[in-house]
Amino acid sequence: MLSCSGGTLKVYGWVEDTRVDGRDALVEVWPGGGHHWRLVDARGMGERMNFEFPGTTSASIKLRLSG
Protein backbone atom coordinates (compact mmCIF):
# COMPACT_ATOMS: atom_id res chain seq x y z
CA MET A 1 0.00 0.00 0.00
CA LEU A 2 1.02 3.59 -0.47
CA SER A 3 -0.01 6.69 1.43
CA CYS A 4 0.97 10.33 1.13
CA SER A 5 0.96 12.90 3.90
CA GLY A 6 2.82 16.15 4.41
CA GLY A 7 4.71 15.78 1.12
CA THR A 8 6.16 12.34 1.92
CA LEU A 9 5.30 8.85 0.76
CA LYS A 10 4.97 5.77 2.96
CA VAL A 11 5.16 2.23 1.50
CA TYR A 12 3.68 -0.39 3.80
CA GLY A 13 1.91 -3.74 3.85
CA TRP A 14 2.78 -7.39 4.12
CA VAL A 15 4.09 -10.27 2.02
CA GLU A 16 3.17 -13.92 2.65
CA ASP A 17 4.58 -17.21 1.39
CA THR A 18 1.51 -19.30 0.53
CA ARG A 19 2.98 -22.44 -1.07
CA VAL A 20 5.27 -25.30 -0.15
CA ASP A 21 7.42 -24.93 -3.26
CA GLY A 22 10.88 -24.00 -1.95
CA ARG A 23 10.52 -20.41 -3.16
CA ASP A 24 10.25 -17.27 -1.02
CA ALA A 25 7.83 -14.37 -1.49
CA LEU A 26 9.74 -11.07 -1.79
CA VAL A 27 9.02 -7.35 -1.81
CA GLU A 28 11.80 -5.03 -3.01
CA VAL A 29 11.50 -1.28 -2.39
CA TRP A 30 13.81 1.32 -3.94
CA PRO A 31 12.98 4.65 -2.25
CA GLY A 32 13.84 7.87 -4.08
CA GLY A 33 16.11 10.55 -2.70
CA GLY A 34 19.31 8.51 -2.52
CA HIS A 35 18.11 5.96 0.03
CA HIS A 36 19.24 2.33 -0.20
CA TRP A 37 16.87 -0.35 -1.51
CA ARG A 38 15.20 -2.65 0.99
CA LEU A 39 14.08 -6.26 0.82
CA VAL A 40 11.38 -8.07 2.79
CA ASP A 41 11.48 -11.87 2.50
CA ALA A 42 8.76 -14.30 3.67
CA ARG A 43 10.46 -17.70 3.91
CA GLY A 44 8.39 -20.82 4.29
CA MET A 45 4.75 -21.74 3.87
CA GLY A 46 2.47 -19.52 5.95
CA GLU A 47 5.09 -16.95 6.98
CA ARG A 48 3.85 -13.37 6.72
CA MET A 49 6.20 -10.40 7.04
CA ASN A 50 4.91 -6.88 7.68
CA PHE A 51 6.86 -3.90 6.37
CA GLU A 52 6.80 -0.12 6.53
CA PHE A 53 9.15 2.27 4.74
CA PRO A 54 8.16 5.88 5.56
CA GLY A 55 9.57 9.26 4.64
CA THR A 56 10.48 9.13 0.97
CA THR A 57 9.33 11.26 -1.95
CA SER A 58 9.14 8.44 -4.51
CA ALA A 59 9.59 4.67 -4.66
CA SER A 60 9.80 1.71 -7.03
CA ILE A 61 8.28 -1.50 -5.69
CA LYS A 62 8.68 -5.03 -7.03
CA LEU A 63 6.86 -8.17 -5.86
CA ARG A 64 8.44 -11.49 -6.87
CA LEU A 65 9.28 -15.08 -5.99
CA SER A 66 12.84 -16.19 -5.25
CA GLY A 67 14.61 -18.62 -7.54
Side-chain angles (χ1 to χ4, degrees):
M1 307 210 56
L2 302 172
S3 69
C4 294
S5 177
T8 63
L9 175 70
K10 178 170 70 171
V11 179
Y12 64 98
W14 52 267
V15 60
E16 182 176 1
D17 188 341
T18 60
R19 294 189 180 186
V20 180
D21 59 4
R23 298 170 77 183
D24 301 338
L26 307 168
V27 173
E28 298 176 17
V29 179
W30 288 273
H35 300 288
H36 297 293
W37 70 275
R38 299 179 186 170
L39 174 72
V40 178
D41 189 353
R43 297 180 180 190
M45 168 62 174
E47 181 174 284
R48 180 184 281 199
M49 300 296 294
N50 294 313
F51 61 89
E52 182 176 323
F53 303 118
T56 187
T57 56
S58 64
S60 295
I61 303 150
K62 183 177 182 179
L63 309 173
R64 67 179 182 89
L65 295 172
S66 66

